[in-house]
């Protein structure tokens, strides 16, 4: 019984690390950073579109945005830093 609980705890830890690692390796573009739009500009454009941004950062080759969209849906949003197009959403 104790061994089973230990295995479950290890499995959960590995899964959590894997999810974090996936965020860090997010792939939104193959373009070099010299072609990326400035983060401030993307943030300003998203605010104009109705996003409420709590935090924005680089995650892999994406801009990862924590906040709410124009429909007030809270999530993590991954944007292509070259085109500022939404690539994926994690609720």
């Amino acid at each position: 019984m104790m061994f089973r609980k230990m295995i479950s705890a290890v499995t959960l830890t590995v899964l959590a690390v894997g999810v974090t690692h996936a965020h860090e390796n997010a792939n939104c573009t193959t373009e070099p950073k010299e072609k990326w739009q400035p983060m401030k500009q993307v943030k300003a454009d998203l605010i104009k579109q109705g996003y409420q941004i709590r935090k924005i950062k680089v995650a892999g080759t994406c801009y990862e945005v924590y906040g709410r969209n124009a429909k007030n849906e809270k999530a993590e949003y991954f944007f292509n830093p070259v085109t500022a197009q939404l690539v994926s959403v994690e609720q």
Side-chain angles (χ1 to χ4, degrees):
M1 183 73 161
M2 182 64 138
F3 181 72
R4 191 173 278 169
K5 286 182 181 179
M6 186 172 71
I7 294 296
S8 294
V10 169
T11 302
L12 288 174
T13 301
V14 169
L15 288 174
V17 169
V19 169
T20 301
H21 186 67
H23 288 87
E24 292 171 1
N25 291 323
N27 189 12
C28 294
T29 185
T30 57
E31 295 291 339
K33 285 194 175 185
E34 295 80 34
K35 293 189 177 183
W36 290 20
Q37 294 186 45
M39 192 181 296
K40 285 182 177 182
Q41 182 61 50
V42 172
K43 183 178 180 178
D45 290 345
L46 292 174
I47 290 170
K48 287 179 187 174
Q49 293 174 36
Y51 284 87
Q52 300 168 29
I53 298 172
R54 185 172 49 86
K55 181 179 179 181
I56 185 170
K57 67 177 189 173
V58 173
T61 60
C62 302
Y63 283 147
E64 181 177 11
V65 175
Y66 297 87
R68 296 179 180 272
N69 64 13
K71 296 178 183 177
N72 204 31
E73 298 168 327
K74 183 178 178 182
E76 291 175 51
Y77 302 91
F78 294 85
F79 289 90
N80 179 314
V82 177
T83 64
Q85 294 295 310
L86 182 63
V87 174
S88 68
V89 178
E90 291 189 11
Q91 297 291 342

